[in-house]
Structures are given as C-alpha cells and as structure tokens.
Amino acid sequence: MSITISKSMSLGMLVLMVTALSCSKNEKPAAQEEAVVEQKASDETTTLAAAARIPSPVPGKVVTYPFGIVDPRYAAGYHTGDDYAAPTGTPVVAVLGGTIAWSNNTGGAYGRWIGLRATNGRDYVYCHLSVRSVSTGATVVAGQKLGEVGATGNVTGPHLHFEDRPRGGGYGQVRKPTW
C-alpha cells in the first residue's frame, strides 16, 4: 500500500491517516469510536424520549381521587379529572410531548394552571400548581418537568388535578384521563 503526501496536508490529517491505516478492518480510531458512541447515546436518548411511557403526571404517585365521582358541589356535577395527592413542590411532568397552550395564574378555582396540547391532539390540564416551570408556546417532551404540585385555587390540600380534554375543550368537556 502506498500513501501520497501533499505539501498542504496538515500534521493532524497525516496522524489521522496513519492511525486509520494502522487499524485492522474491525478496529476504529479512538476519535471515530468516541463519535460513534456519542451518536448512539444521542440516538438512544431521542428514542427513549419519543417512546417514553409516562405512567403518571406526578412521578411515583397514583390517583387518590378519581375522575367521574358524582358530587353536586362541582359545577359539572361530577369530578372532571384525576387527583394526585402529593406534598407541595412535588414535580409534575408532561405525559406526552407537545406544546404549552397556556401557562398562567388565572385559572380561578384551578389556581395556577398549565394546558399541554399533546401530540395525540388532546389538551391535558394541570391544576392547583405551586410553581409553573414552562411558558405558553414552549415545546416539551414526555417526562419533562412542567411545574410543581400546589394548593392554589379551590382545594382542601396540595394535589394535582389533571384533566383530559379535546383540543380547545372547556370545563366539563372531559374524559377519564388517558394518554
């Protein structure tokens, strides 16, 4: 095998060529191997984020007061979401990727709230938050922190009230939360 070296070739290129040529067919230069490892890690992270199955909008917590319980104290006549009791400050996360349709402190009985317009065409509503960590228009991925559990609006204690609405749906236009 012969190598032609031009006067304009840099020392770095020469070292890279010699390194590459000294490897057997099954070996890769360290720099190339590191780049492949970094790309694989990046691809795996992207795949995990895209395929993530988030079991709860409050990681590690389960529903403590379910959707559909009939109660005349509610304007809709029934409980319009699932509640997840948790201490104030517990993180809440996006159940799916999407765009934040609203994020403000003017939810009335819902207090500080966020609306996630998810990739499945549904709006997921996060209510009674103590902290909102995303702004209207932000793009989020499944599992990303949106805010923290709180007790704002009309509540008996800290929890996340979580609703599932059709895109643009209002109060009472809900179904049992699924994603």
Side-chain angles (χ1 to χ4, degrees), residues 49-118:
R53 171 68 171 104
I54 308 303
S56 172
V58 185
K61 303 296 182 184
V62 297
V63 174
T64 53
Y65 191 74
F67 170 86
I69 292 177
V70 175
D71 190 327
R73 295 178 298 162
Y74 299 125
Y78 63 96
H79 192 239
T80 57
D82 282 338
D83 286 356
Y84 296 80
T88 296
T90 303
V92 299
V93 301
V95 293
L96 292 170
T99 303
I100 302 302
W102 72 86
S103 176
N104 60 53
N105 297 338
T106 59
Y110 287 153
R112 288 187 184 107
W113 65 337
I114 293 172
L116 168 62
R117 183 147 296 149

Side-chain angles (χ1 to χ4, degrees), residues 13 39 41 49 65 73-74 80 93 123 127 134-135 137 140 143 162:
M13 280 298 292
Q39 183 60 46
Y65 191 74
R73 295 178 298 162
Y74 299 125
T80 57
V93 301
D123 286 348
C127 307
V134 292
S135 299
V140 299
F162 182 71

Side-chain angles (χ1 to χ4, degrees), residues 28-46:
K28 294 179 182 164
Q32 185 180 0
E33 197 169 295
E34 287 174 15
V36 169
V37 169
E38 286 177 20
Q39 183 60 46
K40 283 182 181 177
S42 175
D43 291 347
E44 288 171 8
T45 301
T46 302

Side-chain angles (χ1 to χ4, degrees), residues 7 26 35 41 51 58 61 74 95 115 125 130 132-133 141 157 164 166:
K7 290 180 184 179
N26 296 329
V58 185
K61 303 296 182 184
Y74 299 125
V95 293
V125 185
S130 61
R132 295 176 297 103
S133 303
V141 296
D164 178 345

